[in-house]
Amino acid sequence: NAGVTQTPKFQVLKTGQSMTLQCAQDMNHNSMYWYRQDPGMGLRLIYYSASEGTTDKGEVPNGYNVSRLNKREFSLRLESAAPSQTSVYFCASSWDRGNTIYFGEGSWLTVV
Amino acid sequence: AQSVAQPEDQVNVAEGNPLTVKCTYSVSGNPYLFWYVQYPNRGLQFLLKYITGDNLVKGSYGFEAEFNKSQTSFHLKKPSALVSDSALYFCAVSPYSGYSTLTFGKGTMLLVSP
């Protein structure tokens, strides 16, 4: 049971570089999410996709873009990485609003 | 907008003793409420949720939570703590009606000593 799979698990970037975090779920969920986790801040929503073909901004969208490639895949792109984007990123999915959210194992990103 | 408060950054309890991790929430209308657990260097795992019905919700690993509408609280409890329960616990809320994503609290670290 793969659930939610995200890659890469670890990445070090230089300031100004770009990269894409990949996420795929095999549970046929409609909704997908990208969160970031920082010490003392809990989880903050970056972007979400309520259903295939739609994306919406969350609490902290600046500096990020997303693509809902199909029902399974939801990628997060950093166009020009900044040290403030050093964080742990989690992809998640759910059937719909109010349903249980299932999380991936996280991607540790360091921007130097 | 909805919000979640977890007033304790850390809770310490001895193994075998009961534990409580506190959560209060603010939301328009009725809430969906969740508890998640995170072990070191792992993703969040679902523990339990309240949608409607019985105010006492039972979940995984012997955990339970009590929904109190008048106090807008959803405290996580376990009758007898285990060392292996040591982890970071998150409470989350979303409104029952209309589309909205979950809002998470900042987390409470539970440390269970032998």
Side-chain angles (χ1 to χ4, degrees):
Chain A
N1 293 335
V4 179
T5 303
Q6 53 182 114
T7 57
K9 192 167 180 69
F10 300 98
Q11 184 73 47
V12 178
L13 284 178
K14 293 182 178 179
T15 298
Q17 286 185 319
S18 62
M19 77 159 296
T20 300
L21 298 175
Q22 307 285 355
C23 175
Q25 51 91 7
D26 63 1
M27 296 174 281
N28 201 33
H29 284 168
N30 291 316
S31 299
M32 297 187 72
Y33 314 84
W34 277 105
Y35 288 90
R36 60 178 289 173
Q37 183 179 21
D38 303 290
M41 302 292 290
L43 274 80
R44 293 181 292 171
L45 183 65
I46 304 171
Y47 270 93
Y48 67 97
S49 171
S51 61
E52 185 179 357
T54 69
T55 61
D56 285 285
K57 295 178 180 179
E59 182 183 355
V60 288
N62 291 343
Y64 305 94
N65 285 301
V66 291
S67 296
R68 183 75 183 265
L69 303 171
N70 48 56
K71 192 171 186 178
R72 291 186 64 248
E73 298 173 289
F74 188 43
S75 63
L76 178 71
R77 183 162 179 83
L78 287 69
E79 291 291 352
S80 179
S84 60
Q85 294 178 304
T86 293
S87 188
V88 184
Y89 292 85
F90 289 99
C91 180
S93 69
S94 66
W95 279 109
D96 200 348
R97 170 199 60 83
N99 294 110
T100 302
I101 290 181
Y102 295 89
F103 285 84
E105 289 294 296
S107 296
W108 275 253
L109 176 64
T110 301
V111 183
V112 298
Chain B
Q2 64 257 32
S3 64
V4 174
Q6 294 183 240
E8 301 151 319
D9 291 336
Q10 184 168 307
V11 170
N12 297 295
V13 64
E15 188 172 35
N17 284 357
L19 69 88
T20 299
V21 182
K22 296 179 180 177
C23 171
T24 58
Y25 66 91
S26 173
V27 70
S28 297
N30 293 321
Y32 286 127
L33 291 159
F34 296 79
W35 276 102
Y36 284 82
V37 60
Q38 185 181 31
Y39 298 101
N41 301 319
R42 302 294 302 275
L44 278 71
Q45 297 177 26
F46 168 74
L47 273 181
L48 52 81
K49 67 180 177 183
Y50 172 83
I51 295 178
T52 187
D54 194 348
N55 290 342
L56 185 63
V57 179
K58 294 187 181 297
S60 306
Y61 313 121
F63 285 93
E64 57 189 28
E66 186 169 12
F67 171 62
N68 187 316
K69 188 172 184 178
S70 63
Q71 297 186 5
T72 61
S73 67
F74 189 56
H75 300 331
L76 181 70
K77 300 180 179 182
K78 188 174 182 181
S80 179
L82 299 172
V83 172
S84 57
D85 292 330
S86 298
L88 186 59
Y89 290 80
F90 290 96
C91 182
V93 68
S94 75
Y96 187 83
S97 60
Y99 186 91
S100 181
T101 58
L102 286 187
T103 297
F104 286 83
K106 294 185 177 182
T108 298
M109 179 64 72
L110 174 66
L111 294 177
V112 182
S113 55

